[in-house]
């Protein structure tokens, strides 16, 4: 937890940014507020990459201690700190496993320094970022971007899809430094960022310099990418204010004429009723008028005096919606490409940057996004148990799950062929426990379904995938127990759900199969930041800042050179024999405060057999 002194300093930076005042003395903030480093460490210590080394296999977050942090601060203050080149690997590209993208892995010390820089940059820029930007920001996600489009882009006619060629690899360093200088008046701080940008990378044991771009995988890369493209957000905001025209669409003359004609006939009908005259003919004419009103659009969809521009960005993926003519869309696309090239030194892909009709739709963040055009102008619905004719909703944005995404997901996880509905078993996990097999199937399907829960009719769209998962689960259990699928169903299916029973310290528990029909309604804001659970344990304090500043080893009680031991995942210590593993399992934490002797001589050497009785 940050001290009041540090919190006030960070709040002051935010206030300055909000008031368009440049932030100063950031380098002093980094080198004179140690609790800021504890906070930075707390934010990254639980990541899977905490124990992943960079080019130096010994440089990870394992072994973090106040002494190590102090040494880092002193190096930065003296100007002798030099970031190491990142270790570059290539990982499959999400959504297209056949292609790979580069990933840079920094060392442990560099991760911590970048985490401190990120905290400061977020204090400066988060308040100034546009509401139209959703990537790598607190309480924002792909879902918030899609919800924004779904709610605010009604009646959009043209969609401009934009793809930047290798964005993260082509960010211009000089331009980025210029942008940072607009809000930061501290060149020592900016020079520290420049050191990370120019640190280079190691690939196949060869060093290569970086003269543009930010390394994908670096902790500060996302926030720097947002700072860079915030210039585009500001351009889009100014372009929207200049482009938008008219308050509302012009009314449809036929629609207005039908309403006036109906109102006149209603008045005539009332007079005939008072005079006791025949009014059947007028009543039929009024009914025809009502039908004509329901079948006529109330506004002119081609009104040249009304136009709107929409914009939404998630990281380097962004789209523009146009309510207007195709010529308007072409002009905006050309101006956008010119701005990216001249102002941000970025180029767009000619093949992937295109204009589509909104009814045909586009692909954005893994969804199909299009406007809904119902050929029926009216439809019959039940209201209070009675059939009623209502106008259909036309022009609204609909989100759909792309069939190719479902097909690729089913194939990549080995549950079967989506097109032929031929399910397969999974030998790679058949030797696991019943709960592990079922939880694997549940986690995969639930993760996919939760991401696509914003789609309309998502349960119907994923019904084939649900069937494949059901059948594959039965076949995998059949392989494990060498039994036919029918026997597996008799043994494990209860109330139409595959159910596994397992024992815990509190007795028997059951785990049930996840089904898409149980998918919760989509929330407006996707919970991005998950608060970790906390557990009490008698031999170690619970909060991270207390543990890293601990004066006592959790194993032997020594107060000399206490540091933090890291593990990659909790599964590595559950059910193990060593006392330190039992402690971490009971705490349900991936870090443990220990002295250097216990850390290096016992834990890393695999000799830790101490128990609570011989502590101290």
């Amino acid at each position: 937890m940050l001290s009041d002194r540090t919190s006030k300093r960070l709040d002051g930076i935010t206030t300055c940014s909000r008031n368009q005042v440049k932030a100063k003395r950031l380098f002093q903030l980094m080198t004179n507020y140690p609790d800021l480093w504890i906070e930075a460490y707390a934010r990254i210590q639980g990541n899977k990459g905490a124990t992943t080394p960079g080019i130096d296999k010994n440089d990870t977050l394992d072994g973090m201690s106040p002494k190590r942090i102090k040494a880092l601060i002193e190096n930065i203050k003296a100007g002798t700190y030099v970031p190491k080149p990142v270790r570059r690997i290539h990982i499959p590209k999400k959504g297209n496993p056949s292609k790979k993208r580069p990933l840079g892995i920094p060392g442990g010390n560099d991760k911590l320094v970048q985490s401190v820089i990120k905290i400061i940059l977020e204090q400066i820029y988060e308040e100034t970022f546009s509401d139209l930007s959703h990537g790598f920001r607190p309480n924002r996600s792909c879902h918030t971007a899609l919800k924004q489009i779904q709610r605010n882009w009604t009646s959009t006619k043209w969609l401009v899809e934009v793809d930047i060629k290798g964005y993260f690899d082509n960010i211009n360093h000089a331009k980025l430094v210029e942008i940072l200088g607009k809000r930061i008046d501290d060149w020592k701080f900016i020079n520290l960022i420049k050191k990370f940008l120019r640190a280079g990378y190691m690939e196949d044991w060869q060093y290569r310099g970086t003269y543009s771009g930010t390394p994908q995988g670096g902790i500060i890369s996302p926030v720097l990418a947002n700072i860079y493209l915030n210039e585009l957000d500001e351009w889009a905001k100014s372009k929207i204010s200049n482009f938008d025209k008219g308050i509302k669409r012009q009314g449809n003359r036929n629609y207005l004429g039908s309403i006036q004609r109906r109102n006149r006939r209603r008045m005539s009908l009332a007079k005939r009723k008072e005079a006791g005259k025949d009014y059947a003919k007028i009543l039929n004419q009024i009914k025809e008028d009502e039908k004509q009103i329901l079948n006529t659009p109330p506004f002119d969809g081609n009104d040249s005096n009304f136009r709107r521009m929409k914009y939404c960005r998630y990281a380097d993926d962004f789209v523009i919606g146009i309510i207007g003519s195709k010529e308007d869309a072409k002009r905006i696309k050309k101006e956008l490409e010119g701005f990216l090239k001249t102002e941000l030194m970025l180029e767009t892909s000619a093949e992937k940057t295109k204009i589509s009709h909104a009814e045909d739709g586009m692909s954005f963040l893994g969804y199909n996004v299009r406007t809904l055009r119902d050929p029926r102008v009216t439809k019959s619905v039940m209201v209070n148990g009675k059939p009623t004719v209502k106008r259909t909703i036309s022009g609204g944005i609909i989100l759909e799950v792309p069939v190719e995404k479902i097909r690729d997901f089913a194939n990549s996880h080995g549950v079967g062929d989506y097109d032929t509905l031929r399910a397969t078993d999974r030998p790679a996990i058949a030797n696991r426990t019943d709960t592990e097999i079922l939880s694997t199937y549940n986690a995969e399907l639930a993760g996919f379904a939760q991401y696509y829960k914003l789609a309309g009719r998502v349960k119907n769209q994923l019904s084939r995938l649900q069937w494949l998962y059901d059948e594959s689960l039965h076949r995998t259990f059949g392989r494990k127990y060498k039994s036919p699928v029918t026997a597996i169903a008799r043994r494990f299916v209860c109330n139409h759900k595959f159910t596994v029973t397992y024992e815990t310290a509190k007795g028997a528990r059951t785990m049930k199969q996840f089904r898409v029909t149980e998918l919760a309604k989509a929330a407006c804001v996707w919970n991005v930041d998950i608060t970790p659970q906390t557990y009490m344990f008698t031999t170690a304090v619970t909060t991270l800042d207390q543990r890293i500043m601990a004066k006592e080893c959790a194993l032997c009680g020594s107060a000399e050179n206490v540091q933090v031991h890291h593990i990659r995942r909790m599964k590595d210590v559950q059910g193990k024999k060593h006392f330190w593993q039992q402690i971490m399992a009971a705490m349900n934490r991936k870090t443990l405060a220990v002295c250097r002797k216990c850390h290096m001589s016992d834990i890393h050497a695999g000799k830790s057999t101490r128990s609570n009785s011989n502590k101290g």
Side-chain angles (χ1 to χ4, degrees), residues 53-317:
I55 60 172
D56 182 356
K57 66 178 181 180
N58 296 318
D59 185 13
T60 68
L61 291 180
D62 186 40
M64 187 58 63
S65 65
K67 183 177 179 181
R68 182 174 167 185
I69 290 175
K70 184 178 180 181
L72 261 176
I73 294 175
E74 291 301 323
N75 285 340
I76 292 173
K77 190 180 293 187
T80 58
Y81 174 78
V82 179
K84 297 177 182 177
V86 298
R87 177 169 63 91
R88 173 170 283 192
I89 61 174
H90 293 267
I91 61 175
K93 199 170 184 180
K94 191 174 182 180
N96 191 355
S98 60
K99 294 184 178 180
K100 294 188 176 183
R101 66 180 180 91
L103 181 69
I105 303 176
N109 286 345
D110 292 342
K111 287 176 184 175
L112 182 57
V113 177
Q114 288 190 42
S115 183
V116 176
I117 294 174
K118 181 185 177 185
I119 291 175
I120 297 173
L121 288 176
E122 286 179 340
Q123 290 293 130
I124 299 171
Y125 287 97
E126 186 57 40
E127 285 275 334
T128 66
F129 283 155
S130 169
D131 287 337
L132 305 176
S133 166
H134 297 264
F136 310 124
R137 296 183 62 192
N139 297 321
R140 289 173 179 262
S141 66
C142 297
H143 280 193
T144 59
L146 291 161
K147 289 290 283 186
Q148 186 179 80
I149 292 175
Q150 191 177 38
R151 289 179 172 180
N152 302 330
W153 288 36
T154 302
S155 299
T156 297
K157 283 193 171 183
W158 302 98
L159 299 170
V160 183
E161 304 174 58
V162 185
D163 182 81
I164 300 176
K165 287 184 180 178
Y167 170 62
F168 284 92
D169 292 331
N170 291 309
I171 292 177
N172 185 279
H173 288 175
K175 184 64 180 181
L176 177 58
V177 170
E178 178 189 330
I179 294 171
L180 290 171
K182 293 179 181 179
R183 291 192 174 273
I184 299 174
D185 186 11
D186 188 336
W187 286 104
K188 283 188 176 181
F189 182 76
I190 292 179
N191 283 332
L192 185 59
I193 296 176
K194 287 169 65 176
K195 287 183 179 181
F196 281 103
L197 294 175
R198 298 174 179 175
Y201 62 93
M202 295 286 289
E203 186 175 16
D204 297 329
W205 301 104
Q206 289 186 352
Y207 171 79
R208 294 176 173 86
T210 48
Y211 306 102
S212 65
T214 60
Q216 295 189 52
I219 292 174
I220 59 172
S221 292
V223 67
L224 290 178
N226 269 339
I227 291 170
Y228 200 78
L229 279 185
N230 188 56
E231 300 293 303
L232 174 64
D233 299 340
E234 293 299 319
W235 174 86
K237 190 185 299 182
S238 64
K239 188 59 63 177
I240 287 171
S241 63
N242 294 328
F243 180 86
D244 289 359
K245 182 181 178 181
I247 298 174
K248 65 178 183 179
R249 283 191 177 92
Q250 184 178 355
N252 188 327
R253 292 184 178 181
N254 294 331
Y255 178 80
L256 296 174
S258 297
I259 290 180
Q260 293 171 356
R261 188 166 53 251
R262 180 200 62 185
N263 292 341
R264 286 196 302 269
R265 285 171 173 165
R266 280 180 175 177
M267 294 174 64
S268 177
L269 177 66
K271 290 179 181 179
R272 281 184 171 272
K273 280 185 177 181
E274 290 178 1
K277 296 180 180 180
D278 181 33
Y279 57 86
K281 182 179 179 181
I282 295 180
L283 187 62
N284 290 332
Q285 290 174 337
I286 292 174
K287 288 181 180 179
E288 288 297 321
D289 290 336
E290 295 281 2
K291 186 182 294 185
Q292 184 69 26
I293 290 170
L294 282 173
N295 284 276
T296 305
F299 298 104
D300 182 5
N302 298 315
D303 183 4
S304 59
N305 293 317
F306 180 86
R307 65 185 187 188
R308 290 290 185 271
M309 173 180 166
K310 308 291 184 179
Y311 171 85
C312 183
R313 180 174 70 84
Y314 182 90
D316 60 328
D317 293 326

Side-chain angles (χ1 to χ4, degrees), residues 17-66:
S17 180
R18 192 183 299 124
N19 295 330
Q20 303 294 319
V21 177
K22 287 187 178 183
K24 299 180 179 180
R25 297 190 294 278
L26 303 180
F27 191 80
Q28 181 209 32
L29 173 62
M30 281 192 69
T31 55
N32 289 280
Y33 292 74
D35 55 324
L36 181 63
W37 290 73
I38 303 299
E39 173 68 19
Y41 171 68
R43 293 191 181 189
I44 62 175
Q45 55 84 28
N47 297 344
K48 291 183 179 180
T51 57
T52 303
I55 60 172
D56 182 356
K57 66 178 181 180
N58 296 318
D59 185 13
T60 68
L61 291 180
D62 186 40
M64 187 58 63
S65 65

Side-chain angles (χ1 to χ4, degrees), residues 296-557:
T296 305
F299 298 104
D300 182 5
N302 298 315
D303 183 4
S304 59
N305 293 317
F306 180 86
R307 65 185 187 188
R308 290 290 185 271
M309 173 180 166
K310 308 291 184 179
Y311 171 85
C312 183
R313 180 174 70 84
Y314 182 90
D316 60 328
D317 293 326
F318 58 96
V319 289
I320 293 175
I322 298 294
I323 300 177
S325 67
K326 189 172 184 179
E327 293 303 316
D328 291 332
K330 288 180 178 179
R331 177 166 52 84
I332 291 295
K333 174 177 173 289
K334 185 177 180 180
E335 291 176 2
L336 171 65
E337 291 174 330
F339 175 82
L340 288 173
K341 187 173 183 178
T342 58
E343 297 296 327
L344 298 181
M345 291 78 173
L346 297 171
E347 291 189 10
T348 58
S349 170
E351 300 80 19
K352 297 181 181 178
T353 301
K354 56 186 177 180
I355 298 174
S356 306
H357 196 282
E359 291 184 27
D360 298 330
M362 65 175 180
S363 177
F364 184 60
L365 300 179
Y367 277 77
N368 279 339
V369 182
R370 64 181 180 90
T371 54
L372 178 64
R373 289 290 173 192
D374 196 324
R376 302 169 300 165
V377 179
T378 60
K379 62 180 179 180
S380 179
V381 296
M382 298 298 291
V383 178
N384 297 326
K386 297 180 180 179
T388 305
V389 176
K390 294 186 70 175
R391 185 184 297 276
T392 58
I393 298 175
S394 190
I397 296 293
I398 185 171
L399 305 176
E400 298 172 320
V401 187
V403 174
E404 58 271 18
K405 294 288 184 183
I406 307 176
R407 182 185 296 112
D408 292 343
F409 181 81
N411 293 337
S412 63
H413 287 81
V415 295
D417 188 284
Y418 177 81
D419 297 313
T420 62
L421 278 181
R422 296 183 63 179
T424 58
D425 61 345
R426 298 170 67 176
I429 64 173
N431 60 343
R432 300 180 185 177
T433 64
D434 291 354
T435 53
E436 287 177 332
I437 295 174
L438 182 55
S439 63
T440 298
Y441 274 84
N442 282 351
E444 291 171 357
L445 184 58
F448 188 81
Q450 286 288 341
Y451 183 75
Y452 283 105
K453 67 181 180 179
L454 297 183
R457 305 186 305 275
V458 62
K459 295 170 185 177
N460 293 336
Q461 288 183 283
L462 297 184
S463 60
R464 290 171 69 90
L465 182 63
Q466 178 75 69
W467 188 91
L468 277 178
Y469 259 80
D470 292 352
E471 191 67 15
S472 177
L473 178 63
H474 283 73
R475 288 173 180 268
T476 301
F477 269 81
R479 170 181 281 272
K480 177 179 179 178
Y481 290 103
K482 298 179 175 59
S483 301
V485 171
T486 52
I488 293 297
R490 286 194 298 268
R491 179 176 174 181
F492 289 100
V493 175
C494 178
N495 294 329
H496 307 290
K497 270 193 178 182
F498 200 98
T499 305
V500 169
T501 303
Y502 60 98
E503 292 293 330
T504 67
K506 295 183 179 180
R509 294 287 187 271
T510 58
M511 177 186 295
K512 295 185 178 181
Q513 178 188 12
F514 170 82
R515 302 195 69 82
V516 176
T517 53
E518 300 170 354
L519 197 62
K521 278 254 183 183
C524 294
V525 178
W526 185 255
N527 294 323
V528 180
D529 301 321
I530 300 173
T531 304
Q533 292 179 327
T534 55
Y535 292 81
M536 297 297 295
F537 194 72
T538 56
T539 61
V541 289
T542 55
T543 60
L544 182 66
D545 55 345
Q546 289 176 312
R547 279 182 283 136
I548 194 172
M549 301 301 290
K551 303 298 182 183
E552 181 179 339
C553 174
L555 298 181
C556 69

